[in-house]
Amino acid sequence: MPRLFYGHITIGQMRLTYYRTGGEKPPVILLHGFSDNALCWNRVPLALEEEFDVILPDARGHGSSGIGPEGVGLEVQARDVEVLIETLALKPPVVIGHSMGADVAARLAANRPDLVRGLVLEDPPWGDHLLLNRLDPQSPQYAQIWDDLLINKQRTLDDLIALCRTRHPTWDESEYFQWAKAKRELRPEALSGWVEPRRPWREVVCSLRCPGLLLTADPAHGGLITPQVAQEIKALWPQVQVVPFPEVGHSIHREAYRPYIQTVLRFLRKVSG
């Protein structure tokens, strides 16, 4: 892990925690996926910190961040990042997001284009085929996900590490501990963020004006963005470059770390000048 400074800001009644590499460098914000936390980026900030000031917040209900009466929806999370940028007095950063974090990053850029220099979106949960985009809190599927989150919180770290190693045998060994720790820290109430009101993803994409990089995983290996959805995104957002990762699953930064870093660094250097 890189050397990370720990900090927090207060938003209403909620404490949002973040980590930061620091330095007088162009800022980059990393937004993690659902049920992960900031430290699940693991080796990524290590690869970026030499050239960039990397800021890694814990999303509401994840890691050490609270929830607050505003809820945990994607629009609320986007406002949290907006407040973080303004409170830390950052120059417009490039915002990198994985899964849920990619959706949040896009909403931030759509709502506040003045605050975002560019976007890197890693397999965002966009598409009518995805359960998370039509999740009913009264459905058996919602109850099953809730129960699974509770079960994970009751497991030991060793059991969760073993579970992750079984599910993801190709991941680097360093990934397992942070994944397991994040599952223990997650508040199950964070699941409600998927059913709180939010703009449809197509409306969000239509509003994007900054340069972007869309990294897509392989649907046959658990990727969320289908080739058809990627084409639609490209049509709605001409400034985006789409880079597919064949035979790679949803966590591209874990499963294809080196090509992921090479691709992201090329984009960051270009956008940051």
Side-chain angles (χ1 to χ4, degrees):
M1 292 294 294
R3 174 185 289 184
L4 296 173
F5 300 97
Y6 172 85
H8 74 272
I9 63 172
T10 301
I11 304 175
Q13 302 175 36
M14 193 271 301
R15 175 178 166 129
L16 185 84
T17 62
Y18 67 89
Y19 302 86
R20 186 175 186 177
T21 62
E24 296 297 323
K25 308 166 188 174
V28 172
I29 294 179
L30 302 182
L31 304 180
H32 63 78
F34 179 74
S35 83
D36 279 351
N37 62 24
L39 296 181
C40 285
W41 284 104
N42 195 26
R43 297 175 291 170
V44 174
L46 182 63
L48 303 183
E49 67 172 337
E50 184 176 346
E51 299 178 51
F52 302 95
D53 174 14
V54 186
I55 300 100
L56 310 93
D58 282 330
R60 288 180 180 238
H62 298 70
S64 300
S65 289
I67 291 182
E70 305 89 351
V72 289
L74 302 180
E75 302 289 351
V76 173
Q77 291 187 46
R79 287 195 293 273
D80 288 342
V81 185
E82 176 182 332
V83 174
L84 180 67
I85 292 170
E86 294 180 330
T87 302
L88 298 182
L90 300 177
K91 294 178 181 178
V94 176
V95 184
I96 301 175
H98 171 231
S99 194
M100 176 188 78
D103 200 335
V104 171
R107 291 171 193 279
L108 167 68
N111 296 339
R112 290 294 305 273
D114 57 309
L115 292 184
V116 178
R117 190 176 185 91
L119 289 173
V120 178
L121 307 182
E122 178 186 348
D123 208 27
W126 292 341
D128 301 330
H129 62 293
L130 297 177
L131 173 63
L132 286 174
N133 289 325
R134 46 187 170 80
L135 194 57
D136 181 350
Q138 305 302 320
S139 67
Q141 293 91 341
Y142 189 95
Q144 183 61 61
I145 297 172
W146 179 277
D147 289 345
D148 290 343
L149 298 180
L150 286 177
I151 290 170
N152 280 341
K153 285 186 70 68
Q154 295 163 3
R155 288 187 166 114
T156 67
L157 275 175
D158 286 344
D159 286 345
L160 284 166
I161 290 170
L163 176 65
C164 187
R165 188 178 285 114
T166 299
R167 289 180 179 175
H168 306 288
T170 64
W171 287 11
D172 186 83
E173 187 69 23
S174 65
E175 301 285 353
Y176 299 132
F177 174 77
Q178 294 299 346
W179 182 94
K181 191 167 181 282
K183 302 305 173 279
R184 291 285 303 273
E185 292 177 343
L186 177 70
R187 302 188 187 192
E189 295 83 0
L191 181 61
S192 65
W194 291 104
V195 296
E196 292 180 20
R198 63 184 188 269
R199 291 170 66 187
W201 67 267
R202 289 181 178 86
E203 290 185 17
V204 173
V205 175
C206 281
S207 301
L208 297 176
R209 298 293 180 266
C210 63
L213 183 64
L214 175 65
L215 309 179
T216 63
D218 191 332
H221 292 259
L224 303 184
I225 295 286
T226 64
Q228 293 76 19
V229 171
Q231 289 178 359
E232 186 175 1
I233 293 169
K234 178 63 177 174
L236 296 173
W237 181 19
Q239 298 92 335
V240 73
Q241 175 190 1
V242 180
V243 179
F245 283 76
E247 299 184 13
V248 173
H250 178 56
S251 289
I252 301 170
H253 67 279
R254 288 165 165 142
E255 297 188 31
Y257 172 74
R258 292 188 183 281
Y260 170 91
I261 289 297
Q262 291 167 355
T263 304
V264 169
L265 276 174
R266 279 195 298 268
F267 178 79
L268 290 177
R269 289 164 180 160
K270 179 180 178 181
V271 172
S272 300

